[in-house]
Amino acid sequence: MPYLDFLMTYSSRFIDGTLITLGQFGLAALVAIVAALISGLMKMAHSKTMRAIAIIYIEIFRGTSLLVQLYWFYFVLPLFGFTLEKFTVGFLTVGLCYGAYGAELVRGAIQSVPRGQWEAALALNMSPAKRMQRIILPQALVAILPPWGNLMIEILKGTALVALISVADLMFETRQVNNNTYLSAQAFGTALIIYYIFARFMVTPIMRWLERVMARKIGRT
Amino acid sequence: MLDWKMDFTWEILPRLLLAAGNTMLAAGGGYAVAVVLGLVFALAQRTRSRTLTFIVRELVEFIRSTPLLLQIFFIFYVGPQFGLRLSPWAAGLIAIGLHYAAYLSEVYRGGIENVPKGQWEAARAINLSTVTTYRRIIIPQALPPALAGMGNYLVGIFKDTPMLSVIGVAELMHTANSIGAENFRYLEPYTIVGLIFLAISLPTAWLIRRFETALRRKMGLTR
């Protein structure tokens, strides 16, 4: 079958899968941002318990593999009485996994804000919360965006694993097409190109644009 | 509710530990491929040919921005379509090796670019060939700072080996899946797999961190 005919016949499956992948990616990125911010800040807290909780979360998720985590959340968590839909399990696990990697980025970015900025905020009698919110986080945000761009690509690639708990994402649909047609080069090749286009021509440019906007906002051009 | 069965745990533990050996074998084999191929990718981007540099650069970008799982499927299933049948192990090692070669080539590139320009000039001045310059002057200086990055990707490869279960490599995840399907019990196998991963990757990561600080101190860098 010529490649164009192949595309025409199965385009709807690829499109459906791509939309699910996009949804998984967006939600997982959101979970990762929240988890990274919370655990990154907790790891710098004064309270020992807070630090311990953050470290346990980070080490468990960074020390095991995403696929093991997905299976565990999907097959084992229901035994504890939490039954989640597979779509939810998918983006939640991917988000939590990469959030643990992001936590280190958050910590590094906050520590990269010069000491003088902390002292100046203290001298102006700002409360710790206000100091974080108005002085430290905006500057940390500029420092974190470049490495976070790489993490976003990793999150996008990570979402491909949700196919293995049968979320009907791009990876899943591609396997179905492959099983129906045995046209492996066409099926997997198409999916590779779609993932590549997303990573290279959507995620990366958007992150670059964000970097520029944020740098301008805090007056560094 | 939760009922952890201790006798079942003891029954499946030897099987899982044996599979852990396979996991480490896959990680080691994939890493060996990646270390060599990564160097090829890195050096190919430093030749005079613009076309070669461009092609390899784009290839590295492509490999880095697409999912490893998809690459594993691609390599395993596309071969037979053209009459080339790869065993799951061969396909798996090629896929993982290729994927991480792209990452390692960036590590090498960073290391090579860190070597001061004067070293190149001095090597040229004493009439060393390009190959000798790389072998005797550049790589020995580029390697130490790159080692930490290389270590991190070793842990990364190790954590990505469960993906090989999808094409039937009998590593940890694959074995846990079979045990789960045979006994209709998933709690113990999946939890033990997670614990085995923790037990191997946490100490390894810790050792790499210690090695990195020791190295920085030895090279006269801060801390």
Side-chain angles (χ1 to χ4, degrees):
Chain A
M1 184 177 352
Y3 184 58
L4 259 180
D5 287 350
F6 171 83
L7 269 189
M8 296 295 261
T9 320
Y10 294 103
S11 61
S12 66
R13 305 207 68 156
F14 284 115
I15 290 169
D16 288 350
T18 304
L19 290 178
I20 299 281
T21 288
L22 272 189
Q24 285 280 331
F25 170 63
L27 291 166
L30 212 63
V31 173
I33 290 168
V34 174
L37 198 60
I38 292 176
S39 59
L41 288 175
M42 273 171 78
K43 210 180 163 184
M44 299 173 72
H46 286 295
S47 142
K48 241 184 185 156
T49 4
M50 295 272 255
R51 279 208 308 272
I53 294 171
I55 287 172
I56 290 171
Y57 157 68
I58 293 170
E59 295 298 330
I60 285 184
F61 278 89
R62 292 197 345 159
T64 56
S65 83
L66 175 56
L67 189 53
V68 177
Q69 292 158 22
L70 269 173
Y71 280 178
W72 203 88
F73 275 95
Y74 188 59
F75 290 106
V76 178
L77 211 56
L79 303 176
F80 290 85
F82 301 99
T83 309
L84 293 171
E85 196 152 1
K86 55 193 176 193
F87 186 86
T88 318
V89 173
F91 74 78
L92 217 54
T93 315
V94 175
L96 285 175
C97 176
Y98 289 102
Y101 288 89
E104 294 296 317
L105 299 182
V106 168
R107 202 167 61 97
I110 288 177
Q111 279 171 349
S112 78
V113 176
R115 201 78 239 135
Q117 297 284 325
W118 297 78
E119 287 158 5
L122 199 68
L124 289 173
N125 202 21
M126 283 187 168
S127 69
K130 195 158 195 178
R131 180 178 63 193
M132 242 332 152
Q133 185 205 335
R134 302 287 299 273
I135 309 295
I136 307 303
L137 284 184
Q139 298 185 66
L141 188 58
V142 176
I144 206 178
L145 280 175
W148 195 275
N150 285 335
L151 194 67
M152 289 296 255
I153 305 284
E154 297 298 324
I155 293 175
L156 175 65
K157 286 158 59 183
T159 59
L161 292 185
V162 302
L164 299 178
I165 55 168
S166 44
V167 176
D169 75 333
L170 179 55
M171 181 77 239
F172 183 87
E173 295 288 357
T174 306
R175 273 181 91 184
Q176 298 278 312
V177 172
N178 179 59
N179 291 346
N180 292 345
T181 61
Y182 297 107
L183 296 170
S184 304
Q186 288 89 327
F188 292 124
T190 308
L192 277 172
I193 291 168
I194 295 175
Y195 275 111
Y196 179 64
I197 289 174
F198 269 127
R200 192 77 194 277
F201 301 106
M202 282 181 57
V203 179
T204 307
I206 288 175
M207 290 307 291
R208 289 278 145 75
W209 173 77
L210 262 180
E211 279 169 36
R212 278 202 308 277
V213 169
M214 286 315 297
R216 201 179 309 133
K217 267 208 161 151
I218 70 158
R220 288 184 206 158
T221 44
Chain B
M1 231 352 246
L2 188 62
D3 62 325
W4 183 283
K5 286 209 175 120
M6 225 42 216
D7 50 341
F8 183 59
T9 306
W10 293 121
E11 192 188 315
I12 63 174
L13 197 58
R15 227 174 124 187
L16 286 172
L17 287 177
L18 214 63
N22 271 349
T23 288
M24 291 207 257
L25 204 64
Y31 195 63
V33 176
V35 164
V36 176
L37 207 58
L39 193 59
V40 174
F41 283 166
L43 293 180
Q45 286 177 66
R46 294 188 60 87
T47 56
R48 260 190 229 125
S49 155
R50 283 255 174 94
T51 345
L52 184 65
T53 306
F54 176 78
I55 292 172
V56 176
R57 172 91 241 124
E58 286 302 308
L59 181 68
V60 166
E61 273 308 315
F62 186 82
I63 295 174
R64 272 162 42 110
S65 28
T66 47
L68 173 58
L69 184 65
L70 189 52
Q71 293 168 0
I72 292 172
F73 278 124
F74 188 89
I75 289 175
F76 186 62
Y77 286 107
V78 170
Q81 210 178 342
F82 301 100
L84 175 76
R85 192 167 285 280
L86 289 170
S87 73
W89 272 94
L93 291 190
I94 291 172
I96 277 201
L98 200 65
H99 193 79
Y100 277 90
Y103 282 94
L104 282 180
S105 75
E106 297 288 296
V107 174
Y108 294 143
R109 243 160 47 95
I112 291 174
E113 276 161 17
N114 261 338
V115 177
K117 245 194 146 61
Q119 298 286 322
W120 281 100
E121 288 156 5
R124 177 148 321 144
I126 56 171
N127 205 19
L128 294 181
S129 71
T130 311
V131 175
T132 318
T133 308
Y134 267 116
R135 207 164 57 84
R136 304 292 298 273
I137 311 289
I138 304 303
I139 291 179
Q141 292 185 75
L143 206 55
L147 278 176
M150 290 175 70
N152 287 338
Y153 285 123
L154 176 59
V155 181
I157 277 199
F158 171 67
K159 284 184 292 190
D160 273 351
T161 50
M163 287 188 216
L164 297 180
S165 64
V166 295
I167 54 170
V169 173
E171 45 64 70
L172 264 176
M173 200 72 234
H174 191 265
T175 310
N177 283 340
S178 321
I179 292 174
E182 286 158 21
N183 302 285
F184 302 107
R185 286 192 70 84
Y186 291 96
L187 170 65
E188 293 88 352
Y190 286 155
T191 310
I192 295 172
V193 167
L195 291 176
I196 292 178
F197 267 96
L198 279 178
I200 297 173
S201 67
L202 288 186
T204 315
W206 182 78
L207 276 176
I208 290 168
R209 266 204 303 276
R210 278 204 49 176
F211 175 71
E212 193 187 350
T213 27
L215 198 74
R216 287 174 72 90
R217 205 175 296 134
K218 210 175 159 192
M219 289 180 62
L221 295 166
T222 45
R223 272 195 299 159

